[in-house]
Amino acid sequence: MPDWTYHPLRGAAAAVLGLRRSQRAALRMLASVGSRPAGARLIARGFGHRHPPRRLAGEIAGVPVTVRLGISVPPSLARETVRAMPPLGAGVVEVAPVSAADVHAVREAAVGRSIPLVVRTCDPEVEAALKPHVDGFTSSDDPHIRQVSDPSVTAAAAALEEPGAVVLARPQVLVAAGPGWFARVTEAATPTAPAPELRDVGRDPRRWPAWWWALLVGLGMTGAGLGAAAITLGPVLLWYDRDYLGMTLHELHAANHHLVHFLQHDRITMAGTMVAIGALYTGLAVGGIRRGWPWAREVYLLSGAVGFPTLFYFLATGFVEPLHTATALVLFPMFVMGVRRTPHAARWRLAPEGPEPERRRALVGQLLMILTGAGLFVGGAVISVVGLTDVFVPTDLTFLGTDPHTLEAVNPRLVPFLAHDRAGFGGALMSAAVAIVLLSAWGWRRGEAWVFWSLAAAAAAGFLPAVVVHGSIHYTDFIHLAPVYFGIALTGTSLLLARPYLCAKTSANSAN
């Protein structure tokens, strides 16, 4: 479990299972999932795509390790720890102290391991018995080994700066700090360079970096959303809409006096979602991809991989909107350029560690934002399915005061026309939701103010137009709008709890 579930839910788990039992249950769950290759990849990605720099590699007791950061546990925890720690970012597990009575437990822990396992013992017979089964042996007087009991990320990162030093955390460190401690230390110990500036981009498009193309997509989505809103609040129908329907705006209004308002409500929510996606992509480009965060490209890629294919919803609705298609055709090549793989250079600047209660409140906010994004994804999927099948939900028909058969009798193309807007909105909502979930899961770090402002701008663009347009056309059914109200409440609470943490000041001395 990541920190954003571990800390907010640990109190409830301790109340139900007891403190020690809940801690062991968490470790066993991580061990059970992490012992499987697919589960290990899932945990590693869930913790934010760690890429430890080569300078953190080294050795302990002559054993090579990819990162000089690990954990020291007693034999009773060895088996679960060996299976749980690799996907969390640990580079080595030390079992200490080991006596003759612990030989069997250590042998069992060593079976099928995917992480170096070393042992500290004072008994030569124990060492001889375990030598064929473990990778090496440590001693209590090794000057390169730093045993830490303080969960301070800064202190652990500073200890790793010493050449050859290996930092081994005590179990209480992870209990206090959470399973994400290894990743946080690795990031703090990663040397960084200044982020590129706008003047570094140059004028030759062939040399434009990936983050600049991603920024253009974000700005393009924002512009397209604002343009769609302007059309919706102005003429509503463009020439190709009228040609497809064979009807004017006045004829639509005459057919059903709520129909134009219903069309506006669908399109303005779609426009707001497009602006929200633009805000998220702009933030990911400038705040994430530009500064070398390895997960930012993945967020951008996965969100776009959901959003762009929804263009093909027209295969089900039968209506091809030229402006929508043209926008997608212009932005997609830029999107591809924005996700192309380029050599990573860490260019972030971490804020100093702040008060732990501030971080704990922010983790609650993180959990709420991820739940909000997950809810939006489910909502987008439902809207897409409805748009591609029934088109209307019961509250829609109540507002319109009609039924699909009556609308089809007015114009057989009317329902497919409305279906296109509805399904497109569902697809855009899923794309935005993927970005919200992954940005919140992977980007929640102290001092990353761009995360706060990207999510706040996306929330304002997504929720406010929906509330305003429903109110202005008097489509105020509480059941219909309940998900919007709930989303606003969760998002507002999340951002309120996380603002001091995400918007904490960085300093020039905080770059590593």
Side-chain angles (χ1 to χ4, degrees):
M1 54 179 63
D3 287 356
W4 48 268
T5 58
Y6 173 78
H7 283 297
L9 302 180
R10 64 184 296 196
V16 173
L17 301 176
L19 182 60
R20 298 290 295 177
R21 191 174 297 173
S22 66
Q23 292 170 357
R24 289 299 296 263
L27 180 61
R28 285 170 182 162
M29 183 179 71
L30 281 171
S32 177
V33 177
S35 61
R36 296 167 174 80
R41 287 193 296 271
L42 177 64
I43 293 174
R45 287 185 173 272
F47 277 79
H49 297 75
R50 285 173 311 280
H51 295 268
R54 293 180 179 178
R55 69 187 293 272
L56 293 185
E59 62 177 41
I60 177 172
V63 180
V65 294
T66 57
V67 57
R68 293 176 283 110
L69 184 66
I71 187 169
S72 179
V73 296
S76 60
L77 298 178
R79 187 176 185 276
E80 289 86 359
T81 302
V82 166
R83 286 153 181 76
M85 291 303 109
L88 298 186
V92 62
V93 172
E94 179 194 59
V95 183
V98 176
S99 64
D102 303 316
V103 168
H104 177 72
V106 175
R107 285 177 175 174
E108 189 177 51
V111 175
R113 65 189 180 280
S114 59
I115 187 173
L117 176 63
V118 296
V119 166
R120 176 156 51 88
T121 180
C122 298
D123 189 335
E125 293 184 2
V126 171
E127 183 172 330
L130 289 177
K131 190 172 184 179
H133 303 278
V134 301
D135 296 291
F137 296 90
T138 58
S139 62
S140 56
D141 58 354
D142 189 333
H144 296 295
I145 297 178
R146 306 283 189 274
Q147 300 274 352
V148 297
S149 301
D150 183 355
S152 169
V153 169
T154 303
L160 285 174
E161 290 294 324
E162 299 180 28
V166 178
V167 175
L168 299 179
R170 297 287 190 183
Q172 58 264 35
V173 171
L174 262 64
V175 171
W181 185 80
F182 293 111
R184 293 165 60 208
V185 173
T186 299
E187 287 177 358
T190 299
T192 64
E197 301 293 338
L198 184 60
R199 61 177 176 268
D200 300 326
V201 172
R203 297 183 179 181
D204 186 352
R206 295 172 299 178
R207 299 181 181 276
W208 284 353
W211 72 267
W212 180 247
W213 289 107
L215 173 60
L216 292 179
V217 174
L219 296 176
M221 286 294 296
T222 301
L226 294 176
I231 293 170
T232 304
L233 297 175
V236 184
L237 297 180
L238 293 179
W239 74 93
Y240 53 77
D241 296 322
R242 295 191 295 269
D243 290 344
Y244 177 78
L245 288 173
M247 299 176 72
T248 65
L249 193 65
H250 296 295
E251 289 171 333
L252 277 179
H253 188 73
N256 183 303
H257 65 283
H258 288 305
L259 199 53
V260 174
H261 286 160
F262 185 79
L263 180 61
Q264 286 180 310
H265 121 278
D266 262 358
R267 290 191 166 185
I268 204 70
T269 50
M270 172 67 168
T273 304
M274 291 172 66
V275 174
I277 294 173
L280 292 166
Y281 285 6
T282 299
L284 284 167
V286 176
I289 300 173
R290 179 178 71 97
R291 295 169 61 208
W293 286 111
W295 48 263
R297 172 188 173 275
E298 306 297 327
V299 178
Y300 176 77
L301 171 61
L302 292 172
S303 174
V306 170
F308 278 104
T310 61
L311 173 67
F312 295 99
Y313 279 173
F314 77 85
L315 295 174
T317 64
F319 174 50
V320 181
E321 186 181 17
L323 198 57
H324 182 185
T325 304
T327 301
L329 291 177
V330 169
L331 293 181
F332 184 70
M334 299 181 187
F335 172 78
V336 172
M337 295 298 290
V339 298
R340 71 184 191 277
R341 291 190 179 276
T342 55
H344 269 302
R347 299 180 182 277
W348 58 75
R349 177 170 292 170
L350 297 180
E353 282 188 280
E356 184 62 14
E358 177 184 271
R359 186 175 81 95
R360 300 288 179 89
R361 288 191 294 270
L363 290 173
V364 175
Q366 184 179 14
L367 176 60
L368 294 178
M369 187 62 74
I370 291 171
L371 291 175
T372 301
L376 291 174
F377 185 86
V378 172
V382 170
I383 292 169
S384 292
V385 171
V386 169
L388 297 173
T389 53
D390 297 330
V391 183
F392 304 103
V393 295
T395 55
D396 295 334
L397 298 176
T398 300
F399 172 74
L400 290 169
T402 188
D403 59 76
H405 299 295
T406 302
L407 294 175
E408 288 173 353
V410 171
N411 186 334
R413 289 187 168 185
L414 190 53
V415 172
F417 180 76
L418 296 171
H420 169 270
D421 290 344
R422 174 135 305 182
F425 168 57
L429 190 59
M430 287 193 294
S431 178
V434 168
I436 290 168
V437 169
L438 298 182
L439 173 58
S440 301
W442 297 338
W444 219 259
R445 289 165 175 77
R446 192 168 193 270
E448 297 298 308
W450 68 271
V451 174
F452 175 88
W453 292 113
S454 297
L455 291 169
F463 287 128
L464 293 184
V467 173
V468 171
V469 73
H470 280 85
S472 65
I473 67 173
H474 306 294
Y475 186 0
T476 55
D477 184 273
F478 180 78
I479 299 299
H480 182 73
L481 288 173
V484 178
Y485 297 145
F486 192 56
I488 291 173
L490 284 181
T491 302
T493 304
S494 168
L495 294 176
L496 184 66
L497 290 172
R499 189 180 189 281
Y501 179 78
L502 292 177
C503 296
K505 299 295 184 182
T506 59
S507 66
N509 294 329
S510 62
N512 293 291

